Amino acid sequence: YLADLRSATVDSSNVHDLNVQPGMLWDGQAQEGFNFQHNPRTPPMADLPVGQVHEWHVHEQTRHPMHLHVNHYQLQTMGGDDDNGDNFYEPGDWHDTFLERVGTITVRLQTDRFVGNMVVHCHILEHEDEGMMGYFDVVGQEGTRWPGARQLDPSCYMEKSGVGYSLL
């Protein structure tokens, strides 16, 4: 279900900058007050349409490792250092947390099927507890799939049948 997005065409409205730092920055705009313990009605950082591919340039990866809930992301570039020595992180890999100190990374993700809140935060517990987090609202029709997945990767499966398990 995770098509290789490296050759996907990304609509320019879905290309953004995320700065993982205190206050979190989305496209250069400060996202103040992301301390959910004290302000449970904090608005989302952005609305992301379901069933589309998104590209993020994620900054501050030298000090604040990014963790994303719900949708995994595919690494595209890693701060110009795509050969990081231990080869744990490589362009094309899928992750939900990035712990390498490389500065800026570029990731792509597809918001597929699920609508609702998608949390992003620094994966250092103390920073997270101090409010270095935010969330996106994935909007649209629940169940919407990105239609380009099958064209990009014919081996990308969409249904649960034939993938190595069965429902009891």
Side-chain angles (χ1 to χ4, degrees), residues 91-107:
D93 288 351
W94 289 89
H95 292 277
D96 67 358
T97 306
F98 189 82
L99 299 169
E100 198 74 26
R101 295 178 179 265
V102 296
T104 298
I105 61 172
T106 299
V107 301

Side-chain angles (χ1 to χ4, degrees), residues 41-52:
R41 295 182 186 205
T42 301
M45 293 174 67
D47 290 342
L48 303 178
V50 69
Q52 296 186 21

Side-chain angles (χ1 to χ4, degrees), residues 2-165:
L2 296 174
D4 187 345
L5 302 178
R6 289 177 288 180
S7 61
T9 301
V10 181
D11 187 276
S12 62
S13 65
N14 289 341
V15 177
H16 298 282
D17 285 292
L18 173 62
N19 205 322
V20 182
Q21 65 176 27
M24 305 285 276
L25 296 177
W26 179 250
D27 287 341
Q29 299 296 312
Q31 306 296 315
E32 300 298 333
F34 283 105
N35 190 331
F36 295 117
Q37 296 173 339
H38 301 294
N39 188 357
R41 295 182 186 205
T42 301
M45 293 174 67
D47 290 342
L48 303 178
V50 69
Q52 296 186 21
V53 175
H54 302 267
E55 180 175 295
W56 298 352
H57 305 282
V58 185
H59 308 281
E60 293 298 322
Q61 290 300 282
T62 55
R63 297 180 299 192
H64 303 292
M66 178 183 74
H67 177 62
L68 183 66
H69 291 234
V70 181
N71 291 299
H72 289 80
Y73 52 81
Q74 185 181 38
L75 292 172
Q76 304 298 304
T77 64
M78 300 184 313
D81 184 16
D82 293 342
D83 179 17
N84 61 16
D86 64 10
N87 297 324
F88 184 78
Y89 294 101
E90 294 183 1
D93 288 351
W94 289 89
H95 292 277
D96 67 358
T97 306
F98 189 82
L99 299 169
E100 198 74 26
R101 295 178 179 265
V102 296
T104 298
I105 61 172
T106 299
V107 301
R108 288 186 178 173
L109 62 134
Q110 61 189 64
T111 50
D112 205 34
R113 296 185 182 183
F114 171 79
V115 297
N117 295 338
M118 182 174 70
V119 174
V120 61
H121 59 85
C122 176
H123 213 252
I124 297 172
L125 184 58
E126 181 180 0
H127 295 179
E128 177 186 352
D129 287 349
E130 292 173 352
M132 193 182 298
M133 61 171 54
Y135 72 97
F136 300 94
D137 194 8
V138 180
V139 297
Q141 179 66 43
E142 180 83 26
T144 301
R145 297 177 175 159
W146 177 54
R150 189 74 76 171
Q151 295 166 337
L152 235 103
D153 186 356
S155 67
C156 178
Y157 64 86
M158 298 289 193
E159 304 303 328
K160 59 184 163 272
S161 62
V163 294
Y165 65 89

